[in-house]
Amino acid sequence: FGRRVSFNSVGEDKVRSLDKQNFETAGRHPRIQSRTPARPTDLGVDVDQDFLRTLAGAPKDGQLGKTLTGVDSLHAMVPVELGSLRPLLVQYVAQFENDSYKKTFPYVDYITDVVDHKLTEELEEALLKQIKNQEFDRCWLAVPQPIDWSTVLGFRYRRGARQPILHDITFPTFLETVDDIDTLNVQILQRREVRCVSPDDIDLYTWPVYKCIYCEVDLDGATYLLNGGRWYEVEKDFVKQVDEAVKKIPKYKGELPEFN
């Protein structure tokens, strides 16, 4: 609700900050702020690779507030009397129900949140199938947030000083700590933890394994991404655009050297 109201209300050149997420192999989660109101593209948004999670800025209609932002819920900086609160909320609902954002920010629908619980369960079943079959070409573990690597010694999947410290997290090394891969389920992935430790053997960061998973799943003709513990759907026309662009790249006609 908050994300859609913000996109529908904030002027294209009135953005003060935004949160974006990049879905390339080395996922990035930066927050960018501007000293003056600007356009998202002026703040470094790559419309082909970035998921614009949320933005903050001044709405085109000053009655909606001085600043709007939000993802699930809406956060509004607005002076309002209790008696005029209901009409204001009605305006926010109207902003949620229209689709004017498609003209101002057409690329925000390239990647959207999956909110259907039944679909999420189907995607999680497909995820578990990939893991159990050890199909890791489109599925891997990665640190889910920016960290200070200069303070990091390594990672553990279990508590205890005797547990080995790994230089990185991967599915093969994690599965070595699972007693029976056939019994692996989403609850185990959400309960088990990745622990990032310092040279002094202190936990610097702790995340559920599920939050560290990046995975691409094809289901019923659509493409979905799991990143940071949340599922996203990639818009079909966008997938088609990418596929067509790749097909236009000429194939290499020479011979490649042998490689082991």
Side-chain angles (χ1 to χ4, degrees), residues 32 49 53 58 143 146 151 166 170 174 176 179 182 188 219 228:
I32 303 173
Q49 295 193 50
R53 182 154 182 76
V143 173
T151 64
L166 307 170
T170 65
F174 168 68
E176 290 176 0
D179 296 330
D182 292 330
I188 292 175
L219 184 67

Side-chain angles (χ1 to χ4, degrees), residues 142-237:
V143 173
Q145 69 182 75
I147 63 176
D148 183 359
W149 286 92
S150 65
T151 64
V152 174
L153 176 63
F155 302 88
R156 285 195 180 107
Y157 300 116
R158 296 184 184 276
R159 293 177 180 271
R162 294 185 178 181
Q163 296 296 322
I165 296 178
L166 307 170
H167 77 280
D168 201 356
I169 55 176
T170 65
F171 263 120
T173 54
F174 168 68
L175 293 177
E176 290 176 0
T177 70
V178 177
D179 296 330
D180 184 358
I181 190 174
D182 292 330
T183 64
L184 187 67
N185 55 37
V186 172
Q187 289 70 35
I188 292 175
L189 294 173
Q190 292 174 336
R191 187 172 63 249
R192 291 289 305 276
E193 294 180 330
V194 172
R195 319 185 75 82
C196 178
V197 299
S198 71
D200 298 326
D201 208 6
I202 297 174
D203 288 345
L204 299 172
Y205 310 90
T206 304
W207 312 282
V209 171
Y210 188 83
K211 191 173 182 179
C212 297
I213 298 174
Y214 175 90
C215 192
E216 298 179 13
V217 173
D218 294 325
L219 184 67
D220 297 332
T223 300
Y224 300 89
L225 308 174
L226 174 63
N227 188 277
R230 300 189 68 143
W231 285 98
Y232 304 92
E233 181 177 1
V234 183
E235 206 268 332
K236 291 182 179 179
D237 287 342

Side-chain angles (χ1 to χ4, degrees), residues 20-88:
K20 66 177 185 175
Q21 192 166 339
N22 188 280
F23 291 100
E24 61 188 12
T25 303
R28 291 172 286 150
H29 313 73
R31 170 172 294 174
I32 303 173
Q33 295 184 339
S34 174
R35 295 179 181 178
T36 58
R39 297 173 181 268
T41 50
D42 295 333
L43 298 179
V45 173
D46 184 338
V47 299
D48 291 328
Q49 295 193 50
D50 293 335
F51 169 60
L52 194 54
R53 182 154 182 76
T54 186
L55 55 77
K60 291 169 283 189
D61 183 352
Q63 293 183 345
L64 298 177
K66 296 180 179 179
T67 303
L68 293 180
T69 187
V71 182
D72 296 324
S73 59
L74 175 68
H75 300 264
M77 183 183 296
V78 55
V80 58
E81 298 289 340
L82 185 59
S84 58
L85 180 58
R86 181 181 293 274
L88 179 62

Side-chain angles (χ1 to χ4, degrees), residues 64 92 116 157 252:
L64 298 177
Y92 289 145
D116 184 276
Y157 300 116
Y252 179 61

